[in-house]
Amino acid sequence: MVLLGDSSEGDCTSSARIQRSLGRSMRTVRSNVFRSDSPPDAPPAAGSAAVSENLTDSVVDFQLQELAVGPPRSSDAKCAAASVESAAELLELSRDFSDCSSVNSDISGELERLASVPRTVTPTIPAAAGPDDLEALGLGIGSSEIVERTSVESVEPAVRACMEGLGSSSPEKKRAAAAGIRLLAKHRSEFRELIGASGAIPSLVPLLKSTDPAAQENAVTALLNLSLEEANKGPIMSAGAIKPLVYALRTGTAVAKQNAACALLSLSMVEENRSTIGACGAIPPLVALLVGGTSRGKKDALTTLYKLCSARRNKERAVSAGAVPPLVELVAERGGGTAEKALVVLGSLAAVPEGRAAVVEAGGIPVLVDAVEAGPTRGREFAVHALLQLCADSERNRGLVVGEGVIPPLVALSQTGSSRAKHKAETLLRFLREQRQDDGATPATAV
């Protein structure tokens, strides 16, 4: 399990501090040698052969492939900062989601809207076995495998039975009805559309605050599955589901918290929903999930935070909620498939002044320099992106970055990385060399 520091402090775990201290001392020695007399065309240090971390564990896992920066029109720092800001938005989480078929989850695997999969392509996952199977719920439509092949008309009686259960005064019937919708909505787009049109969404929302953990979890996951249908997103928002989803994110079981985060992610695919979700208090419990959740929970929190933080106000909310220290810690840990995602979210938060200050205060600069030097290939590029955000408008930060010995690994990356990585490394090197030239200028003596 990843150990995270308290969000109110910038300190990392002692072992991580020791590792960073050793790395920093070596980088400082190399940086001092580089600053002394090393020619700018000195051969680069050998790149790390580290293999990129496995990024396929999460239900809404995203592959970080699209963070590209176009060449700046001038060498002016403010122009480059604008280029860096626009680059962050190129990382669209609606693309390149992992295949859900390897995950034991209620999400249906046809994430057409989230993954931009053509509607004619409908990947499926095996039905979850156990007492929650549709056949066991007594809805009269057979097993989940049979439902996958049945017609929409054949499912309509089951949907009506679920609606009756949701309207019952019996907690047991409500729980079973929510479980039925959860499983029906798992299977096909047509089923989700049918359930949404039946009026089930407003009846599910009150169960999000149920004191019965199973009923709450079923309602959360049912709404998550229904939200994968584009036509259902508006009714979910109109039914006032956001605050109850945030409540489930704070109080639910581990599965309920994870699926509440995923539901918020799905709804945040509609740009105008992001500000509403942030204003309803979603950011602090997402940060809490980032700190104390399971491995999958952390990944789901990172993904949702990234999407929400495309809105500037949500960036500020995330910084205020203490997101930066645990993000820095996750980058330092380099494990569990979260380091690269944490780097991307950290770069997003560094786009606002509060975020840049928080990254520096949390000890993020040495951690980011470590990532440039020894991280996986994509991680190096994301670390340079974050450093560009920190350095674009801050001479002080440039000095701190140079002091951490970043120039040798940057030179190596500028010569051996991908075209995007080379461009980013060269841009940051230009900033840092300008800083060194300014520092070396001798002020005129007053006469």
Side-chain angles (χ1 to χ4, degrees):
M1 179 177 177
V2 177
L3 298 177
L4 298 174
D6 184 84
S7 62
S8 63
E9 299 177 0
D11 296 337
C12 299
T13 60
S14 59
S15 61
R17 266 202 310 272
I18 292 170
Q19 292 172 357
R20 287 201 299 276
S21 176
L22 291 174
R24 175 178 178 177
S25 64
M26 292 302 297
R27 285 196 311 276
T28 303
V29 169
R30 289 196 298 274
S31 182
N32 287 337
V33 171
F34 187 89
R35 280 198 295 265
S36 298
D37 296 306
S38 295
D41 58 349
S48 170
V51 179
S52 181
E53 295 162 322
N54 180 7
L55 299 178
T56 62
D57 293 339
S58 173
V59 169
V60 289
D61 206 0
F62 57 101
Q63 298 176 3
L64 310 174
Q65 298 176 347
E66 299 297 330
L67 194 58
V69 182
R73 291 188 173 87
S74 74
S75 60
D76 182 76
K78 291 187 178 179
C79 292
S83 177
V84 170
E85 170 67 13
S86 64
E89 298 307 319
L90 294 177
L91 182 60
E92 277 297 333
L93 300 187
S94 58
R95 302 174 61 186
D96 299 326
F97 279 77
S98 64
D99 181 6
C100 294
S101 63
S102 63
V103 182
N104 182 16
S105 163
D106 284 88
I107 294 185
S108 76
E110 68 169 315
L111 302 176
E112 293 95 349
R113 295 297 301 179
L114 300 186
S116 299
V117 175
R119 301 293 287 186
T120 55
V121 178
T122 309
T124 59
I125 63 173
D132 287 336
D133 191 77
L134 286 168
E135 193 170 22
L137 290 171
L139 297 176
I141 55 173
S143 69
S144 297
E145 290 85 354
I146 294 174
V147 170
E148 186 61 45
R149 299 187 299 270
T150 195
S151 67
V152 174
E153 292 76 15
S154 300
V155 173
E156 288 178 352
V159 173
R160 286 196 295 270
C162 288
M163 286 296 299
E164 291 174 4
L166 288 174
S168 169
S169 59
S170 166
E172 292 78 11
K173 289 183 179 180
K174 287 179 182 290
R175 184 197 313 129
I181 291 177
R182 165 182 179 166
L183 290 168
L184 286 170
K186 165 186 174 179
H187 290 276
R188 287 179 12 213
S189 172
E190 298 95 325
F191 294 174
R192 293 192 283 274
E193 187 175 357
L194 171 66
I195 294 167
S198 74
I201 290 171
S203 299
L204 286 167
V205 170
L207 289 179
L208 296 174
K209 291 190 174 182
S210 173
T211 56
D212 177 354
Q216 183 188 51
E217 182 180 311
N218 285 334
V220 167
T221 312
L223 285 170
L224 165 59
N225 292 343
L226 290 172
S227 74
L228 301 181
E229 183 64 31
E230 190 70 16
N232 289 335
K233 285 181 168 64
I236 291 172
M237 295 293 293
S238 299
I242 299 303
K243 286 187 177 180
L245 279 170
V246 171
Y247 177 84
L249 181 60
R250 290 200 322 264
T251 66
T253 65
V255 172
K257 289 179 179 180
Q258 290 160 187
N259 286 346
C262 291
L264 293 172
L265 170 64
S266 178
L267 296 171
S268 72
M269 293 297 173
V270 180
E271 185 174 358
E272 53 264 31
N273 291 346
R274 296 169 197 168
S275 295
T276 300
I277 293 170
C280 286
I283 304 292
L286 284 170
V287 173
L289 184 61
L290 178 65
V291 172
T294 63
S295 176
R296 180 194 146 187
K298 293 178 194 296
K299 294 174 185 179
D300 293 342
L302 283 167
T303 310
T304 308
L305 281 170
Y306 178 81
K307 199 62 181 177
L308 291 176
C309 287
S310 66
R312 181 184 179 90
R313 183 68 185 94
N314 286 340
K315 289 181 174 71
E316 296 166 352
R317 290 183 175 112
V319 174
S320 298
V324 170
L327 287 170
V328 169
E329 188 68 18
L330 287 173
V331 173
E333 292 287 344
R334 298 184 194 166
T338 55
E340 291 180 5
K341 297 176 179 64
L343 278 168
V344 175
V345 180
L346 204 59
S348 175
L349 298 185
V352 296
E354 301 90 337
R356 292 191 285 274
V359 171
V360 175
E361 184 179 351
I365 287 179
V367 172
L368 290 170
V369 174
D370 277 343
V372 174
E373 182 176 41
T377 302
R378 287 185 299 180
R380 296 178 192 178
E381 182 180 339
F382 301 140
V384 173
H385 170 74
L387 289 171
L388 275 168
Q389 297 277 32
L390 294 176
C391 293
D393 291 319
S394 174
E395 292 184 3
R396 175 178 178 272
N397 288 349
R398 294 183 204 178
L400 293 173
V401 170
V402 169
E404 288 295 332
V406 76
I407 291 180
L410 272 181
V411 170
L413 187 62
S414 71
Q415 297 178 0
T416 63
S418 66
S419 59
R420 291 197 307 263
K422 287 179 180 178
H423 170 71
K424 293 178 188 178
E426 289 165 358
T427 303
L428 184 54
L429 280 169
R430 184 167 65 249
F431 285 175
L432 300 181
R433 283 168 177 158
E434 289 172 358
Q435 173 74 17
R436 290 166 59 212
Q437 290 170 0
D438 292 342
D439 291 345
T442 303
T445 304
V447 181

